Amino acid sequence: MKRWLAALLLASLSLDPAVAQSWDFEQAIDVSSELPEGAFQHLDASGRRSIAVGENTVGVVWEDDRDGTPRVYFAYKDFTASQFSQALRISGADEAYEPGLVALSDQRYALVWEENGGIWIRLLSIQGGVELGPAQRLDPAESAQGSVVADGDNLLVLRSERDGSFTRIRLQTLRANGLVTSRQTDCPVDAEAPTDDQLYPTAAWVQGRLVVAWEDRRPKHTIIMAATQQESGKCLFTPPRRISEKPPGGNLPYGTGHGVSRVALNPVGRDGAFAAWADKRSFRNGYDIWGAPFRAETSAFAKNVRVQDDFGGLAKQRHAAVAGHPDGSLVVAWDDDREGNTDLMLSVFEGEGFSDDWPVPVASGAGEQTHPAVAFDQAGNLHLIWIARDRIGAPSRIRYALGKR
C-alpha cells in the first residue's frame, strides 16, 4: 500500500521526497483573546482559507459575536512580531459569516464574506498603517460561502448562488487596482443547470489554470465534485467530475450514499494540487480524512487515498485543511478525538506516503482544539491557527503557532 501510494503521489504531484521534513512549533499566541461569556469565534471559511501569508506578514480572518451580532474581523502580524494587531472589523451593520482571505502584493489582503444575503469583497493595506478599501457586493443575487484566490492583481471569487430551487457555484473575476476592485467576468463553473445544491467551493491555481472543487448533492447525498478551467483567463470549465469515490459494493447502510464534508484544496509542487475532506465511508467510526491528488498533465484527480493512519480508525476526524508548497511539501491538518481530547493532528507527505499522524504539541492535550487552518510561507515554514477552549462550551479564542523546519 505504501509503495503504491508513494508512486501515485510522486507521479501526480511531482514531489521530491528529499523535501519531506518535520516542523518544530514555537509557543502558541493568541490571535484574538477570549471573548465574553456567551460569545464565540468561528473559523469557517470555504476551503479552510482563514489564514494567508504575505511577503513578511500573516493575516487571519474570522467571525465572532462579541457585540451581540456576528461580524467579520481581521488581524495580522509581521513575521518578527511577538503578537497580532488589534482586531479590525471588516463587515458592515448586518450579520456576517464565513470570511476567507488571500494575500496580495504590496502588503495587501483581499477578504470575502457573506452579509445580508450576498458575498462581499474588501481590500486592505497594512503598509505603513492599516488602510481599508470600500466594501463591494459581488452580485445582487442571494449567495453564500465565498472563497477567493489571486493571480497577481486578478482576483477570482467563488460563491454558492441561489439559482431557482438550488444553489450553484459561480466564479467572478475582478481586477484589483490599489484598494478598489473592478468587475470583469462572471460565469457558472458547471455549465449544466443544477439539479441539487452545490456548496462550499474552493480553488487552486495549477500551471495558470483554476481548479475548482465543491460539495455537490446531485446524487441525493453529498459528494465532492471538481472542474478545471479549460484555458487560462477564460470563464469556461471542463464538465465536472466526482472526485470522492464511491466505496465498492451496494449503498447499504448509507441509504443513497455515504457522506462527505468540506473539501480543502491547495497547489503542491510544480504541477499538482491536493484535495482533502472529511469522509464517512467507514460509517461505524464517523468521519475519516481522505484526499486525492490532482495533476495538471491529465487535468484530473487520481484515486482517493486515506490521509490519516490506522490508529485514527476508531476516532472521529473533522475539519480537514491542506497546505502545499512549490517545493513539494504537503501537510494535511484536522481535529481528532483519539486521545480523549479534541486535538489538532498533522500528517506530512514523506516520499513513501503520508506520515503517521502526530498531535501538534502546542494544540493538543487538555481542553478543546478545533477548526485548523494552515499555510506555508515562501521559506517553507508552516503557519497554523485554530479555535481553542479550556473545556467544551467554554469561551473561545483563536490561537496561532509557527512551525519551523
Side-chain angles (χ1 to χ4, degrees), residues 14 38 53 64 135 166 180 211 253 259 273 286 327 347 365 373-374 390 401-402:
S14 298
V53 178
D64 73 45
F166 307 112
V180 178
V211 183
D327 71 4
S347 187
V374 283
D390 293 334
L402 175 66

Side-chain angles (χ1 to χ4, degrees), residues 328-351:
S329 299
L330 170 61
V331 170
V332 182
W334 64 90
D335 50 70
D336 191 303
D337 63 5
R338 74 183 72 180
E339 299 293 336
N341 305 296
T342 305
D343 301 323
L344 296 195
M345 291 282 179
L346 293 182
S347 187
V348 181
F349 184 76
E350 290 187 325

Side-chain angles (χ1 to χ4, degrees), residues 306-318:
R306 194 182 69 174
V307 176
Q308 74 192 62
D309 62 23
D310 292 339
F311 294 104
L314 298 178
K316 297 179 176 64
Q317 288 80 31
R318 308 172 185 86

Side-chain angles (χ1 to χ4, degrees), residues 126-375:
I126 57 174
Q127 194 169 45
V130 176
E131 182 181 0
L132 280 169
Q136 297 172 278
R137 182 166 175 154
L138 292 188
D139 189 89
E142 179 185 346
S143 300
Q145 299 148 15
S147 181
V148 59
V149 295
D151 176 27
D153 281 338
N154 295 312
L155 297 170
L156 299 101
V157 184
L158 294 154
R159 65 191 188 274
S160 177
E161 181 179 287
R162 177 65 54 185
D163 186 345
S165 299
F166 307 112
T167 55
R168 186 181 197 180
I169 305 304
R170 294 190 67 91
L171 168 70
Q172 184 168 125
T173 61
L174 306 99
R175 181 73 178 174
N177 303 297
L179 297 180
V180 178
T181 61
S182 56
R183 299 178 184 180
Q184 296 179 316
T185 59
D186 192 301
C187 67
V189 173
D190 182 357
E192 297 292 328
T195 57
D196 213 312
D197 287 330
Q198 301 173 5
L199 303 164
Y200 292 106
T202 188
W205 273 110
V206 182
Q207 289 196 339
R209 291 189 298 162
L210 196 66
V211 183
V212 182
W214 65 90
E215 287 185 16
D216 198 300
R217 295 182 179 169
R218 68 187 73 190
K220 306 309 173 186
H221 65 100
T222 306
I223 61 175
I224 305 299
M225 300 281 282
T228 305
Q229 197 174 28
Q230 293 189 7
E231 184 180 343
S232 181
K234 301 293 184 181
C235 214
L236 183 64
F237 288 81
T238 60
R241 295 181 180 179
R242 177 175 177 170
I243 66 170
S244 61
E245 295 169 353
K246 179 182 177 181
N251 282 333
L252 292 176
Y254 307 120
T256 56
H258 77 286
V260 297
S261 177
R262 301 296 293 270
V263 61
L265 175 65
N266 248 297
V268 186
R270 297 181 296 274
D271 58 359
F274 193 81
W277 60 88
D279 192 303
K280 211 171 184 179
R281 67 185 73 184
S282 178
F283 69 96
R284 291 183 178 89
N285 302 321
Y287 286 103
D288 297 323
I289 305 302
W290 284 74
F294 174 88
R295 190 179 181 189
E297 182 180 350
T298 60
S299 294
F301 284 85
K303 291 180 68 64
N304 289 183
V305 295
R306 194 182 69 174
V307 176
Q308 74 192 62
D309 62 23
D310 292 339
F311 294 104
L314 298 178
K316 297 179 176 64
Q317 288 80 31
R318 308 172 185 86
H319 308 125
V322 176
H325 192 277
D327 71 4
S329 299
L330 170 61
V331 170
V332 182
W334 64 90
D335 50 70
D336 191 303
D337 63 5
R338 74 183 72 180
E339 299 293 336
N341 305 296
T342 305
D343 301 323
L344 296 195
M345 291 282 179
L346 293 182
S347 187
V348 181
F349 184 76
E350 290 187 325
E352 292 186 355
F354 282 98
S355 69
D356 290 340
D357 307 338
W358 57 282
V360 179
V362 294
S364 60
E368 186 180 49
Q369 292 80 207
T370 62
H371 294 78
V374 283

Side-chain angles (χ1 to χ4, degrees), residues 37 366-368 388-395:
E37 187 173 355
E368 186 180 49
R389 293 186 177 91
D390 293 334
R391 63 188 184 282
I392 295 174

